[in-house]
Amino acid sequence: MTVSKTADVAKPSRAARKEPAEVAVEAAALQLGELSELLGYSLKRAQLRVFEDFLRCVAPLQLTPAQFSVLLLLDRNPGRNQTEIANTLGILRPNFVAMLDGLESRDLCTRIRSTNDRRSHILMLTDKGRAVLARAKKLVANKHEARLNELLGPANRAALLEMLATIAREF
Amino acid sequence: MTVSKTADVAKPSRAARKEPAEVAVEAAALQLGELSELLGYSLKRAQLRVFEDFLRCVAPLQLTPAQFSVLLLLDRNPGRNQTEIANTLGILRPNFVAMLDGLESRDLCTRIRSTNDRRSHILMLTDKGRAVLARAKKLVANKHEARLNELLGPANRAALLEMLATIAREF
DNA sequence: TATTGTTATACTCTATAACTATA
DNA sequence: TATAGTTATAGAGTATAACAATA
């Protein structure tokens, strides 16, 4: 994202050339106005930044936030099928297929036909999947979340997390 | 979004049929585990909820959050061109073209060739654009933001907004 | 030469309908 | 009949290259 930094980048083009003897001011950054009071606006901007940083921190392992969340969930919930994992993450089942294909082709997890219900695929992390997840957790904790903690302070970070969870749950 | 609500929807299928005399328990909701401590996860979830509610509240005017932000910015910053508006909102110039086409075709704003620099288009709200923006602001304030205020309380809402802005600015 | 608006294009996300195999 | 996984597909959103007009 180019984000708010781009505001300062706005070039002092016209006026500077038209009145070269004039003041060296102008080319003012745009006014956000009511936008800075819109919760959704800052929410979106912050989310993009955080995801961007997540990708950077976990780049050595080539995992997206969504892939990381799948690995975490498989580790915590062995024996579940695709529908259960996808639903929990808010991923639609059709879209989860390609995502699993990707993870499985990298030998991070496997689909196993359930013996109870031969329609469903039980999902399991592979040994490599567990190893990658462990490394990813460390990168996320030590680089990504650590930076957020530094920026906000532990108490604020906890308060923020709680409010976001409240919105996701009850709004 | 189906979100966390879908967790409770997980059906008590197999076990309930296999051991009908057994306990009426099981079909437990999945464990989120470390996911509930991941800021980015709650951030994304909350953002989806908030945008979803925004769309619902502003549905009578058929405005997306992005379109609303453009109208707000045009109102506050008359005389700016496409590049300036797009940059401020983090929209890439090529993608801004179709967006403006949509707003202009609904007579909410107009492009005017600048006399200073005939390459650039000055953007202006039309009277209808101003009227729609005014109505949208009311819907957002009275329905959308009011609900968030109710859920979090004014002080928490303000703290949340500030932290999100901090992340968007400095992270 | 550089910049504004634009076109074309591609890739990711998300969303829905419909198929198959199982139940 | 209904459900799990899948395919196909369509629509947003986002990203880059390149062109015409203008500076």
Side-chain angles (χ1 to χ4, degrees):
Chain A
M1 285 304 80
T2 2
V3 188
S4 44
K5 269 178 188 169
T6 52
D8 343 356
V9 176
K11 313 94 206 154
S13 46
R14 294 171 298 284
R17 282 179 193 164
K18 283 183 66 184
E19 260 77 42
E22 280 287 341
V23 279
V25 201
E26 59 65 68
L30 300 217
Q31 298 293 321
L32 285 188
E34 290 98 322
L35 220 45
S36 27
E37 271 300 310
L38 240 203
L39 201 68
Y41 180 73
S42 293
L43 205 40
K44 178 83 179 293
R45 275 283 161 89
Q47 185 261 310
L48 290 172
R49 282 284 177 104
V50 168
F51 268 43
E52 191 180 16
D53 185 76
F54 182 100
L55 284 171
R56 201 174 49 75
C57 292
V58 187
L61 300 174
Q62 285 287 90
L63 285 180
T64 65
Q67 290 173 321
F68 180 68
S69 70
V70 169
L71 296 186
L72 265 183
L73 219 56
L74 294 190
D75 194 43
R76 277 284 166 133
N77 302 273
R80 299 295 189 150
N81 65 26
Q82 295 186 196
T83 300
E84 290 171 314
I85 300 292
N87 279 345
T88 303
L89 292 174
I91 301 171
L92 292 170
R93 274 69 77 226
N95 298 334
F96 195 46
V97 173
M99 194 174 170
L100 272 185
D101 288 347
L103 293 174
E104 206 174 11
S105 72
R106 290 165 64 185
D107 191 29
L108 299 179
C109 71
T110 52
R111 295 184 239 224
I112 303 173
R113 283 228 105 90
S114 167
T115 50
N116 301 333
D117 183 341
R118 292 178 37 74
R119 289 173 300 184
S120 62
H121 293 167
I122 299 308
L123 299 179
M124 289 195 50
L125 282 188
T126 61
D127 288 344
K128 184 179 171 195
R130 265 179 290 272
V132 166
L133 175 59
R135 290 215 288 150
K137 278 190 200 175
K138 281 180 193 161
L139 289 176
V140 169
N142 299 335
K143 297 192 184 294
H144 178 66
E145 295 286 351
R147 271 191 67 212
L148 278 162
N149 236 310
E150 203 179 318
L151 178 65
L152 301 173
N156 281 334
R157 188 200 163 280
L160 173 60
L161 185 64
E162 200 198 329
M163 285 191 273
L164 293 173
T166 297
I167 292 175
R169 218 184 321 111
E170 302 172 27
F171 189 57
Chain B
M1 285 302 83
T2 3
V3 188
S4 44
K5 270 180 186 168
T6 52
D8 344 355
V9 176
K11 313 92 204 160
S13 48
R14 293 171 300 283
R17 282 178 191 164
K18 285 183 64 184
E19 258 77 43
E22 281 287 341
V23 278
V25 200
E26 60 64 67
L30 300 219
Q31 297 293 320
L32 285 187
E34 290 98 324
L35 219 46
S36 26
E37 272 300 310
L38 239 204
L39 201 67
Y41 179 73
S42 293
L43 205 40
K44 179 84 180 292
R45 276 284 160 90
Q47 186 261 310
L48 290 172
R49 282 283 177 105
V50 168
F51 269 42
E52 191 181 17
D53 185 76
F54 182 99
L55 284 172
R56 200 174 49 74
C57 293
V58 188
L61 299 173
Q62 286 287 90
L63 286 181
T64 65
Q67 291 173 322
F68 180 68
S69 70
V70 170
L71 297 186
L72 265 183
L73 219 56
L74 294 191
D75 195 42
R76 278 282 165 135
N77 302 274
R80 299 296 189 151
N81 65 27
Q82 294 184 199
T83 299
E84 290 171 314
I85 300 292
N87 279 345
T88 303
L89 292 174
I91 302 171
L92 293 170
R93 275 69 77 225
N95 298 333
F96 196 45
V97 173
M99 197 175 167
L100 272 186
D101 289 347
L103 293 174
E104 206 174 10
S105 73
R106 291 164 64 185
D107 191 29
L108 299 179
C109 71
T110 52
R111 293 183 241 225
I112 303 174
R113 284 228 104 89
S114 167
T115 50
N116 301 333
D117 184 342
R118 291 178 38 74
R119 289 173 302 184
S120 62
H121 293 167
I122 300 308
L123 299 179
M124 290 196 49
L125 283 188
T126 61
D127 289 343
K128 183 177 171 196
R130 265 180 291 273
V132 166
L133 175 59
R135 290 215 288 150
K137 278 190 199 175
K138 281 182 192 159
L139 289 176
V140 169
N142 299 335
K143 296 194 185 293
H144 178 65
E145 294 286 351
R147 272 191 67 211
L148 278 163
N149 236 312
E150 203 180 319
L151 177 66
L152 301 173
N156 282 334
R157 188 200 163 281
L160 173 60
L161 185 64
E162 200 198 329
M163 285 192 273
L164 294 173
T166 298
I167 292 175
R169 216 184 322 112
E170 302 171 27
F171 188 58

